[in-house]
Amino acid sequence: METYKPTPGPFLAKISSPNDLKKLSPKQLQDVCDELREYIIDSVSVHGGHFGASLGVVELTVALHYVYDTPKDKLVWDVGHQAYGHKILTGRREQFHTNRKYNGLSGFPKRSESEYDAFGVGHSSTSISAALGMAVASDLNKEGKKAVAVIGDGAMTGGMAFEALNNAGAQKSDILVVLNDNNMSIDPNVGALKEYLADITTSKTFNKMRDEIYDLLGHFKSAGEKMRKVASKLEKAMTAAITPGALFQALGFKYYGPVDGHNVDALRRHLEDLKTVSGPKLLHIVTVKGKGFAPAEREQTKWHAQSSPFDKITGNPLSKPKSNDKLPPKYQDVFGDALVELADENKDIVAITPAMPSGSSLWPMMNAYPDRSFDVGIAEQHAVTFAAGLATEGKKAFAALYSTFLQRAYDQVIHDVSIQKLPVVFCIDRAGLVGADGPTHHGLYDVSYLRAIPNMIVSSPMDEQELRDMMYTASKYYDAAWAIRYPRGRATGMKSREEFLDVEIGKGRMIEEGDSVAILSFGPIGKYVVEASGKLKEDQIYIGHFDMRYAKPLDTQLIDIILSKYDHIITLEDGTKLGGFGSAVAEYVAEKGAGVPVKIMGVPDKIIEHGSQRELHDEVGIGPEGIADTVKKLLGIKIA
């Protein structure tokens, strides 16, 4: 079946690069915006992908590429899922239907994909730092390149963004920060006033007049510098009084706005004016996430991204519901429901998430116990130390973070939790290969980086029942921190009992006894061992399978038993092979001096791109077929 490719409108069809866009007149830009928005809707409605954020910046995208000389001028998107329009306008329209698919375009800007992608951005709050680096490099090289950071969709809540603003204001390099404020609706009356103010404050006339007056006052020797300072303070005070820009001005930025981010002609004019203004400056635009697609405007969280086909008019799903088969719950939902049940029984339980209440399924807890649930914004470092502070006062803090985002708070995990031996529970979602989001979101390193930290239990359940019981056990454990990792996607669908039971710390379990080869699995990837075992039995090969549950502390008693009964050990994990669960087993076997070889199966030491989880597991050889082949190789059996 041929892959669906949307048909671009007449203007968009002729745009293969920003140079083609620049051939159009300013009056034609709105037509380009309309066609670009329609193209994004057409594509995502069939192929899926991030949605609302890119629709919200269509006009900004067109205006930026019309005004700036990309790729010479550097354009950094923060966060990267705003960049679909950018990709389509920069020569990737014909490949856009492969977006987020295996061997296709990345869902985020990626330096190796296009010269127009100035910086790879998957995590948030990095754009100002990167763009400032580019601006300073341009100064050092005397190249005159412009650097623009587009920061929005909550990324300004990240502490790194403010660190960069503070540095940029002091550095004085020529950088433009576009603050895409999509948390405000645009009231027509207020919007008109804001547009009027923006026209004044961004115009060449205003800036020229301000600079000339400032210079003129300097010539009056009697007043001199004193008058100049008074005039400067007066100008700043007046601007701050009528705009929300006082904070940015205090950080050393010239502030402009807020302006209507859906008026492409006004944006074009503002950007053209701001190109002539030197130094650090911030343009505050107000947009609507999901603009132009009514369902996405109404339910912005739901339409942040879509994975299934939908009707591009109504938004209704097009996939046929499966016959009475109820899909297994997602691991994140098992976590979210269990947390509420535990909180019902333990009033000291509190929950923290850095801007991921939906992704981490904390809404049930937030709805049930709003005073005990905290969304701290895109601020993982703060989230961890905030949880530590709660723990010092006897609260049982459950911090729900994606594995890839917990990396940003590594120092806090060590310094504020581990050293102080505080019993924070880290519920680590999206552990392992995550699929279409690709390398910026794969949760491959948490076992390695947490296993090295004292006062830390590192665990992973094989199924939803174990997840519930681990959470219950951790909720009563106050001697150290506890990390529970689980993957993106659906659980097994097993029937879980309602009551919770303790899971003995540092103890694994035998799933199946075998002959010569024992596979020690860590986490839900153990399901592949079950599948591989079934295939191997067809060839009269019987493997032992052990669900180890804990990477730290290891169940050394169980490993001793395995060493006495099996000739080969294979470890399996959905994470990096370097320093992970398999390394822990190999270290123990080596220290013991046992003669049983250990084969570590996991993700190799390289960057894994995007695709479905199963495609990526098979690519790196840790899917069922890869497991079966590895067993046969160890036994000296030729693979067909």
Side-chain angles (χ1 to χ4, degrees), residues 577-594:
K577 292 167 63 174
L578 302 184
F581 162 72
S583 292
V585 174
E587 288 162 15
Y588 175 74
V589 173
E591 283 184 14
K592 193 174 178 65

Side-chain angles (χ1 to χ4, degrees), residues 28 90 125 129 198 240 259 375 514 633:
Q28 294 173 311
T90 54
S125 313
S129 299
V259 304
D375 179 356
K633 286 178 183 176

Side-chain angles (χ1 to χ4, degrees), residues 312-548:
K312 65 180 183 179
I313 305 298
T314 66
N316 294 330
L318 295 178
S319 53
K320 296 179 181 178
K322 295 185 178 178
S323 59
N324 298 327
D325 292 340
K326 186 178 179 182
L327 290 172
K330 295 178 180 178
Y331 276 104
Q332 66 189 64
D333 294 332
V334 174
F335 154 76
D337 292 339
L339 186 60
V340 174
E341 293 176 47
L342 294 171
D344 289 340
E345 302 300 322
N346 184 347
K347 63 180 177 57
D348 286 330
I349 286 178
V350 293
I352 302 99
T353 184
M356 297 303 292
S358 296
S360 294
S361 292
L362 268 186
W363 280 118
M365 180 71 179
M366 289 182 157
N367 291 330
Y369 297 104
D371 58 333
R372 291 158 58 187
S373 306
F374 307 95
D375 179 356
V376 302
I378 302 178
E380 291 84 3
Q381 292 171 289
H382 165 62
V384 171
T385 304
F386 176 52
L390 286 161
T392 64
E393 296 301 305
K395 297 302 177 186
K396 191 62 187 181
F398 279 75
L401 305 94
Y402 285 12
S403 171
T404 185
F405 299 148
L406 182 59
Q407 293 162 189
R408 293 156 67 104
Y410 190 54
D411 179 66
Q412 286 68 31
V413 174
I414 296 173
H415 188 276
D416 300 335
V417 177
S418 168
I419 289 177
Q420 303 188 96
K421 209 173 181 180
L422 292 171
V424 175
V425 182
F426 295 100
C427 296
I428 304 175
D429 199 347
R430 272 42 170 201
L433 291 165
V434 297
D437 281 338
T440 58
H441 283 62
H442 293 323
L444 301 177
Y445 312 110
D446 54 275
V447 178
S448 296
Y449 68 67
L450 292 175
R451 194 171 72 84
I453 303 175
N455 301 321
M456 177 71 69
I457 293 173
V458 182
S459 65
S460 187
M462 185 169 162
D463 53 48
E464 53 266 52
Q465 183 67 70
E466 285 196 334
L467 174 55
R468 287 172 55 83
D469 290 343
M470 278 183 183
M471 290 175 62
Y472 170 68
T473 310
S475 73
K476 302 185 300 174
Y477 184 75
Y478 284 85
D479 292 342
W482 191 320
I484 306 173
R485 78 186 306 256
Y486 44 92
R488 179 180 184 270
R490 300 196 176 275
T492 68
M494 67 183 294
K495 184 173 177 56
S496 299
R497 61 181 135 74
E498 292 185 10
E499 70 274 15
F500 294 99
L501 294 177
D502 280 310
V503 178
E504 190 175 356
I505 296 172
K507 293 298 178 183
R509 59 173 180 161
M510 184 178 72
I511 303 295
E512 186 175 30
E513 195 165 11
D515 294 334
S516 179
V517 178
I519 299 183
L520 283 59
S521 64
F522 181 60
I525 199 167
K527 67 183 179 183
Y528 287 161
V529 182
V530 175
E531 191 174 333
S533 177
K535 293 182 178 180
L536 289 167
K537 286 174 183 174
E538 296 174 3
D539 295 324
Q540 306 301 307
I541 300 171
Y542 300 93
I543 59 173
H545 179 201
F546 299 85
D547 168 28
M548 296 304 289

Side-chain angles (χ1 to χ4, degrees), residues 52-274:
S54 283
L55 293 182
V57 294
V58 163
E59 288 78 12
L60 176 64
T61 304
V62 170
L64 283 168
H65 278 297
Y66 192 77
V67 171
Y68 284 89
D69 183 19
T70 56
K72 176 190 172 185
D73 292 337
K74 303 304 177 183
L75 183 53
V76 184
W77 295 92
D78 187 349
V79 283
H81 50 60
Q82 297 184 96
Y84 283 11
H86 159 79
K87 291 200 170 201
I88 292 166
L89 292 178
T90 54
R92 287 167 278 183
R93 186 187 68 244
E94 290 302 304
Q95 293 81 42
F96 192 68
H97 65 282
T98 70
N99 182 51
R100 292 166 57 87
K101 290 183 169 59
Y102 192 56
N103 291 328
L105 292 180
S106 169
F108 302 97
K110 183 177 177 183
R111 281 171 53 82
S112 61
E113 186 178 285
S114 170
E115 63 179 339
Y116 290 95
D117 292 356
F119 202 74
V121 277
H123 292 193
S124 79
S125 313
T126 59
S127 62
I128 304 174
S129 299
L132 178 60
M134 295 169 188
V136 171
S138 177
D139 291 343
L140 293 172
N141 296 334
K142 297 180 171 53
E143 293 174 315
K145 295 177 180 179
K146 300 293 184 180
V148 181
V150 181
I151 184 166
D153 203 25
M156 195 61 99
T157 64
M160 190 174 170
F162 287 94
E163 293 173 24
L165 285 170
N166 184 54
N167 184 213
Q171 192 69 41
K172 303 299 183 187
S173 290
D174 191 359
I175 178 177
L176 171 63
V177 175
V178 180
L179 172 58
N180 173 24
D181 180 354
N182 55 22
N183 291 320
M184 294 171 58
S185 59
I186 304 174
D187 183 282
N189 295 325
V190 176
L193 175 60
K194 289 178 178 176
E195 189 64 35
Y196 171 72
L197 292 172
D199 279 335
I200 295 175
T201 58
T202 61
S203 71
K204 293 175 184 175
T205 303
F206 177 84
N207 284 287
K208 188 169 184 290
M209 178 182 69
R210 176 172 57 187
D211 292 340
E212 285 178 351
I213 291 174
Y214 194 78
D215 291 337
L216 181 64
L217 287 169
H219 292 298
F220 290 99
K221 294 180 180 178
S222 58
E225 190 63 26
K226 185 176 180 181
M227 280 294 291
R228 292 179 62 165
K229 288 180 178 178
V230 169
S232 178
K233 288 179 180 178
L234 180 61
E235 181 264 322
K236 288 180 179 178
M238 290 178 62
T239 307
I242 58 176
T243 70
L247 170 64
F248 303 110
Q249 289 185 340
L251 290 169
F253 275 72
K254 295 172 184 175
Y255 172 88
Y256 305 93
V259 304
D260 181 357
H262 297 301
N263 184 331
V264 68
D265 192 58
L267 285 174
R268 174 191 60 79
R269 287 184 283 110
H270 295 323
L271 291 172
E272 287 174 347
D273 290 342
L274 289 174

